[in-house]
Amino acid sequence: MLLLSGLVLLITLVLAGVLDRLFTQREEADIGQQFAELAIQATDKLDRSLFERVREVQLLANQAGLAGTASTLDDKRRLLEAMQTTYAYYAWLGITDSEGKVLVSANRLLEGVNVAHRPWFKNALKGVHLTDVHEAALLARLLQPKDAKEPMRFIDVAFPYRDAQGRIAGVFGTHLSLAWAADIEKSVMLPLLKRKQVQTLILGKDMAVIMGPKALIGTRPLQNPAFPASGASGYAVERFGDGKTYLAGYSKSQGHSFSPGLGWTVMVIQDLGAAYAPVAELRYQVLMSGVCIAALFAVLALWLAGRTSRPLDLLAASAGRVEAGDIDDIAPIPGAYREIGVLRTSLQSLLKKLKARESAMVQADRRKDEFLATLAHELRNPLAPISSAADLLRMARADEAQQRRLGEMIGRQTRHMTGLVDDLLDVSRVTRGEIALDLRPVDLREAIAEAVEQVAPLAAAKSQGIETQAGAGPAMVMGDRKRLVQVLANLLNNATKYTPAGGRIAVELSMPAERVVLAVRDNGIGMSADLMEHAFELFTQETRKTDRSLGGLGVGLALSKRLVELHGGALSVCSEGKDQGSTFVVSLPALAEAEAELAV
């Protein structure tokens, strides 16, 4: 009961832990996705706003009033100053000639200065209209307040303009301050004002901070950034150079319309502990709920354990009486629940199987004893003439003819013993999977002829006829010729043993769909149903009269079946019963003519 209660408690707590993990992972993903969405919004606004600035400058550069000769420099200056008044984020606007000299600018700043060496001038003539963040030292001295703590930084937008003949007459350029980007940042971060310690960083292509906390401007805070390889947007847990770990939503600028953007990356970051504070609260709630549920289930388990233990005790007592031999069956348990009935039925089935297995073991033990007796008899039969021949050779001087007869007898009996030992060794090798087949294309008709030749003397001794129906065409299989001949010889030898003198044995060969089927039929004493069921088991022999001079250990059929199966085939037997003869059928995969030629 205590064990069951503890198990229920453990399962409940594990389940609570799994649910906690699922919920916290989902919550963490939701928070990270919120940060990523904010970064995407900020990036989109930056890209769209930058596109608007590029389009404005392009339109102004194309205005005839800027390029035409009718407009004076004062007119152009007033136009630039009006635009600067309307769009305060343009820190400087100016028009140069084709050589880079500033012809006119808002508020006359840098008029007369040659800017041909400046990147924005050279890039505009090359078709590059955006220049990334930089510090303009000369312009900063003219515009930056004396009490400013940070240097002014700008983004350049410039387009070439043309004269009346369509030739490039110069460049219309602007220095765009980063104030517009700061306004976008504030508008995006407004929904996160309720969160503490949330910050926004804008990083350049070199991963240096362009906008963000003053302490990070110009630095590269990410030690080993994971997000650049993760795609254009998403979220990640990042470790900064200050040693703290942050949850960071990020999005990389993709540009908008014909404006390619500057490749900036916007990051929305928060200290990991603060970011996942809701997750910690959720984890606490889930775990406390799990503890309460576990306690409830533990009480219920104690009650169920009591109800379960009594029928189990009664069932165990009945099983003990069966073991002691007092009863043969496990009696039904009164008032037991369905599972106890199922368990009792299973135990009853197990008892029947154990009894059947015990009976099978007794039969196997009997067959083993019979086999040992047969083996002793089979080995003693050749040993007796060998021993007698040896005694004759030792005791008297035999003439040459007698020596030859004795030698032939010794050789014949020795070969018989060798055959017995070879059969045992083959069975052992096959059983342990140690036989290696020499697979080659084999015409089964030739294997039949060789097997018939081997068995012919035994059949002739009993005046038995062996009839072969092999057809005219080849019957090719992929196999080990020696082993296939061994299988066929075993089947023929078995047929001659159990067919009376003067009986008939037929070998029939057919080739149904992609198979080669060989049947060995006899009109002998037949086989009982029980023997057919165990015919291919080791050491199985029918209780019938057999000519002991022919020998046999009862392993031939078992060995033949295993050899056929190693060839990918099957061996089966059928018999109509006593004195109705037997038919052994070997089925092997056929080898197509093209495959046979290719194998050769």
Side-chain angles (χ1 to χ4, degrees):
M1 292 169 64
L2 292 176
L3 180 61
L4 180 59
S5 301
L7 182 61
V8 171
L9 179 63
L10 177 62
I11 292 174
T12 306
L13 290 177
V14 170
L15 181 60
V18 171
L19 293 176
D20 165 68
R21 184 172 181 81
L22 292 175
F23 288 149
T24 54
Q25 285 180 342
R26 182 178 300 176
E27 184 69 16
E28 289 173 358
D30 289 344
I31 295 172
Q33 196 60 44
Q34 290 178 15
F35 280 34
E37 288 293 333
L38 289 171
I40 292 171
Q41 293 175 24
T43 304
D44 183 63
K45 287 189 176 183
L46 283 173
D47 285 340
R48 290 177 180 272
S49 178
L50 189 58
F51 163 70
E52 294 295 333
R53 307 291 80 76
V54 172
R55 185 170 61 176
E56 287 170 358
V57 176
Q58 183 185 34
L59 292 174
L60 288 172
N62 292 334
Q63 281 187 11
L66 291 176
T69 57
S71 298
T72 65
L73 291 179
D74 290 336
D75 293 335
K76 295 177 180 180
R77 185 179 299 109
R78 282 193 293 274
L79 179 62
L80 296 178
E81 289 172 351
M83 184 177 178
Q84 190 178 44
T85 301
T86 304
Y87 304 106
Y89 36 74
Y90 286 118
W92 181 83
L93 299 96
I95 303 172
T96 75
D97 60 16
S98 60
E99 301 299 324
K101 180 180 178 180
V102 179
L103 298 177
V104 63
S105 67
N107 300 318
R108 299 180 182 275
L109 291 177
L110 303 181
E111 285 187 2
V113 176
N114 191 297
V115 294
H117 64 287
R118 301 298 298 167
W120 63 268
F121 178 84
K122 294 186 288 186
N123 288 343
L125 295 178
K126 296 177 182 179
V128 180
H129 308 297
L130 274 175
T131 303
D132 209 343
V133 176
H134 66 93
E135 296 179 11
L138 179 59
L139 188 60
R141 285 200 301 269
L142 298 174
L143 296 177
Q144 187 168 348
K146 294 182 180 180
D147 58 346
K149 297 181 180 180
E150 295 183 15
M152 297 185 69
R153 292 173 297 155
F154 307 93
I155 296 171
D156 298 333
V157 185
F159 280 86
Y161 66 91
R162 300 178 183 275
D163 57 18
Q165 287 74 35
R167 295 171 299 188
I168 293 178
V171 174
F172 174 64
T174 64
H175 285 352
L176 183 65
S177 72
L178 292 183
W180 64 275
D183 292 341
I184 291 174
E185 175 195 9
K186 291 177 182 177
S187 67
V188 173
M189 293 301 295
L190 188 61
L192 283 181
L193 291 179
K194 60 183 180 180
R195 284 181 174 269
K196 297 180 179 180
Q197 301 175 351
V198 178
Q199 297 175 327
T200 303
L201 305 179
I202 298 180
L203 285 70
K205 291 181 179 179
D206 59 353
M207 304 305 292
V209 178
I210 298 172
M211 294 186 61
K214 295 180 181 180
L216 296 179
I217 299 296
T219 66
R220 295 180 177 82
L222 295 176
Q223 293 181 338
N224 296 298
F227 65 82
S230 303
S233 62
Y235 66 92
V237 175
E238 298 284 354
R239 187 172 182 82
F240 278 33
D242 58 3
K244 295 182 179 179
T245 303
Y246 295 87
L247 176 64
Y250 59 86
S251 177
K252 188 172 182 179
S253 170
Q254 303 294 313
H256 182 74
S257 188
F258 60 81
S259 172
L262 294 171
W264 290 353
T265 299
V266 177
M267 293 183 64
V268 178
I269 66 171
Q270 187 178 21
D271 181 86
L272 192 63
Y276 286 164
V279 176
E281 177 65 22
L282 177 63
R283 179 180 291 112
Y284 175 77
Q285 293 176 359
V286 170
L287 289 178
M288 290 304 298
S289 300
V291 170
C292 293
I293 294 173
L296 178 62
F297 271 97
V299 173
L300 180 61
L302 287 172
W303 177 77
L304 289 175
R307 187 175 182 273
T308 304
S309 60
R310 181 178 175 278
L312 286 175
D313 287 340
L314 294 175
L315 195 63
S318 295
R321 294 181 63 192
V322 170
E323 181 182 12
D326 297 337
I327 57 177
D328 293 331
D329 294 328
I330 298 178
I333 307 298
Y337 42 90
R338 185 180 65 86
E339 287 78 8
I340 292 296
V342 172
L343 179 58
R344 173 186 169 274
T345 301
S346 299
L347 290 175
Q348 288 283 77
S349 176
L350 179 60
L351 283 174
K352 291 180 180 179
K353 290 180 180 179
L354 289 175
K355 290 178 181 179
R357 183 168 296 180
E358 181 181 9
S359 176
M361 291 177 64
V362 170
Q363 292 180 7
D365 189 60
R366 176 180 57 78
R367 287 200 299 268
K368 180 197 68 175
D369 292 340
E370 291 175 355
F371 166 72
L372 291 176
T374 301
L375 178 62
H377 178 79
E378 293 293 339
L379 291 177
R380 185 174 57 188
N381 280 346
L383 283 175
I386 290 174
S387 177
S388 298
D391 289 340
L392 289 174
L393 289 174
R394 184 177 65 253
M395 294 173 58
R397 297 188 62 181
D399 57 25
E400 183 177 350
Q402 188 177 15
Q403 288 180 2
R404 185 166 54 254
R405 286 194 303 273
L406 293 174
E408 290 174 353
M409 181 179 63
I410 292 174
R412 185 171 56 254
Q413 299 301 331
T414 302
R415 285 192 297 273
H416 179 60
M417 290 181 65
T418 301
L420 295 175
V421 174
D422 286 344
D423 282 348
L424 291 175
L425 289 177
D426 279 346
V427 168
S428 175
R429 293 192 191 101
V430 169
T431 303
R432 292 178 295 174
E434 294 181 355
I435 279 195
L437 300 179
D438 181 16
L439 297 177
R440 297 182 183 180
V442 177
D443 188 346
L444 206 57
R445 295 181 310 158
E446 298 177 359
I448 293 172
E450 186 174 342
V452 170
E453 183 180 357
Q454 289 185 17
V455 182
L458 183 60
K462 298 181 68 174
S463 300
Q464 296 169 338
I466 301 179
E467 180 183 351
T468 302
Q469 298 177 4
M476 302 301 294
V477 297
M478 182 64 75
D480 187 322
R481 181 187 178 94
K482 175 183 176 182
R483 293 299 181 180
L484 290 176
V485 170
Q486 181 181 3
V487 169
L488 300 179
N490 278 344
L491 297 180
L492 289 171
N493 185 61
N494 187 76
T496 60
K497 281 185 182 182
Y498 300 112
T499 299
R504 298 187 308 277
I505 299 171
V507 181
E508 301 172 359
L509 184 65
S510 60
M511 296 185 65
E514 299 181 354
R515 304 290 292 182
V516 177
V517 177
L518 183 143
V520 177
R521 307 180 189 277
D522 65 62
N523 61 347
I525 65 174
M527 301 177 70
S528 64
D530 179 66
L531 179 60
M532 283 193 291
E533 182 179 354
H534 303 286
F536 298 107
E537 296 177 6
L538 286 174
F539 317 131
T540 298
Q541 291 177 319
E542 176 67 287
T543 305
R544 51 191 176 178
K545 294 182 179 180
T546 303
D547 188 351
R548 281 294 185 184
S549 65
L550 297 178
L553 297 175
V555 299
L557 290 181
L559 177 60
S560 297
K561 183 176 180 63
R562 294 299 298 273
L563 289 174
V564 170
E565 290 173 348
L566 288 176
H567 283 79
L571 174 59
S572 60
V573 63
C574 63
S575 175
E576 296 296 329
K578 184 177 180 182
D579 297 327
Q580 299 298 313
S582 303
T583 301
F584 287 85
V585 179
V586 176
S587 175
L588 294 170
L591 185 64
E593 184 176 350
E595 294 176 332
E597 293 177 356
L598 182 62
V600 174

